[in-house]
Amino acid sequence: MLAPLGLQVQQANATEFVCRPSTLSRDAADLASGWSKGSAPLRILAIGSSSTEGIGASGKDKTYPAQLSTLLRTGLSGRPVEMVNAGIGGETAPQTLSRLKAALRDGHYDLVIWQVGTNDAVTGGDLGTFRNLVTDGIAAAKQARTRLVILDPQFYPGIKETARYRAYVDAIAEVARAQAVPVLSRYQAMLGWYQRDADGFMAALAGDRFHMSDAGYGCLAQDIARSLLGDRPAVTLAASAR
């Protein structure tokens, strides 16, 4: 049985980031419909680049996959969760796709969270080729009969070619929608954080103003948990962080 939601909210000042709960994808909740039943460990693969590896976090326990694992265990009343963090900083879609296919061949996962597109959007390239790569990854997951959700690129204030960057975000949404695959829209969530409080938002980023901080990863993990568990996980996070 899923535990009820509980969120601690603290008063913040301009140097703090306030994490307000949101849901990145309503569609993703369908993935967890049977997770509250049974006792076997849930195996989840988080694969992607630096956002998955946790560049900018103060430790491995502060990465989004580590924090998400804790939240899911709590939301599922203690059911074991085996989270595999397969993030490698600097990768683009072709490199991660190759590793994704190998992981799907080598083991079974109840869920794969594929973080993709940030480095491709930053460096540019052929958008049509990128679309094909996303389509290929979705096909590989379906062939392996593995549930897949896609985590799209982050928003950050230093985006130089906004239209090009957004084109990659939109391409992911369009391809995934056509294949009935949920997208966890980190871009929209972080854009909302920034629009609500541009000064406080900077505390959600690491010192390079690109990667996420402990606070940013924590809020992302909370929102993914809410999406996967239908807004019902027991989430108890400090809602502000310096």
Side-chain angles (χ1 to χ4, degrees):
M1 180 176 179
L2 300 180
L5 174 67
L7 177 67
Q8 293 180 340
V9 178
Q10 302 174 356
Q11 189 68 31
N13 58 43
T15 64
E16 293 178 323
F17 167 66
V18 178
C19 179
R20 294 183 174 88
S22 63
T23 300
L24 304 181
S25 171
R26 296 287 174 182
D27 296 332
D30 294 338
L31 299 171
S33 58
W35 284 3
S36 59
K37 305 171 185 176
S39 57
L42 288 170
R43 298 197 72 230
I44 301 176
L45 173 67
I47 190 166
S49 55
S50 58
S51 296
T52 302
E53 181 181 355
I55 301 300
S58 63
K60 292 183 178 179
D61 62 325
K62 299 300 184 182
T63 66
Y64 101 72
Q67 297 193 65
L68 174 61
S69 180
T70 298
L71 293 172
L72 290 179
R73 281 195 296 271
T74 303
L76 293 170
S77 301
R79 183 173 182 180
V81 176
E82 294 180 3
M83 180 71 70
V84 177
N85 186 332
I88 297 180
E91 277 196 343
T92 54
Q95 297 166 307
T96 308
L97 176 59
S98 178
R99 293 195 300 117
L100 172 60
K101 288 181 175 180
L104 292 172
R105 288 194 301 266
D106 295 342
H108 171 73
Y109 297 94
D110 296 288
L111 178 68
V112 172
I113 304 173
W114 182 19
Q115 175 248 316
V116 65
T118 299
N119 292 324
D120 304 87
V122 169
T123 60
D126 184 74
L127 189 58
T129 299
F130 176 75
R131 286 175 176 269
N132 291 338
L133 289 167
V134 175
T135 300
D136 195 5
I138 292 173
K142 288 184 176 181
Q143 184 175 7
R145 297 184 178 181
T146 299
R147 291 175 169 178
L148 174 73
V149 294
I150 296 177
L151 182 62
D152 72 5
Q154 75 258 37
F155 168 83
Y156 63 100
I159 297 173
K160 293 181 179 180
E161 297 186 44
T162 306
R164 184 186 71 190
Y165 195 93
R166 184 56 192 259
Y168 279 80
V169 175
D170 291 342
I172 291 170
E174 291 164 6
V175 171
R177 188 182 306 114
Q179 299 293 327
V181 170
V183 173
L184 302 169
S185 187
R186 178 172 51 149
Y187 180 89
Q188 290 295 340
M190 294 182 71
L191 178 60
W193 301 351
Y194 181 72
Q195 290 173 336
R196 283 195 300 269
D197 182 2
D199 291 334
F201 175 81
M202 302 312 291
L205 302 181
D208 61 6
R209 298 297 185 257
F210 175 67
H211 294 99
M212 301 178 81
S213 66
D214 290 352
Y217 284 127
C219 196
L220 175 64
Q222 174 184 270
D223 287 350
I224 293 176
R226 292 174 64 87
S227 298
L228 295 179
L229 298 180
D231 290 347
R232 291 175 293 173
V235 179
T236 305
L237 286 178
S240 64
R242 286 179 173 83

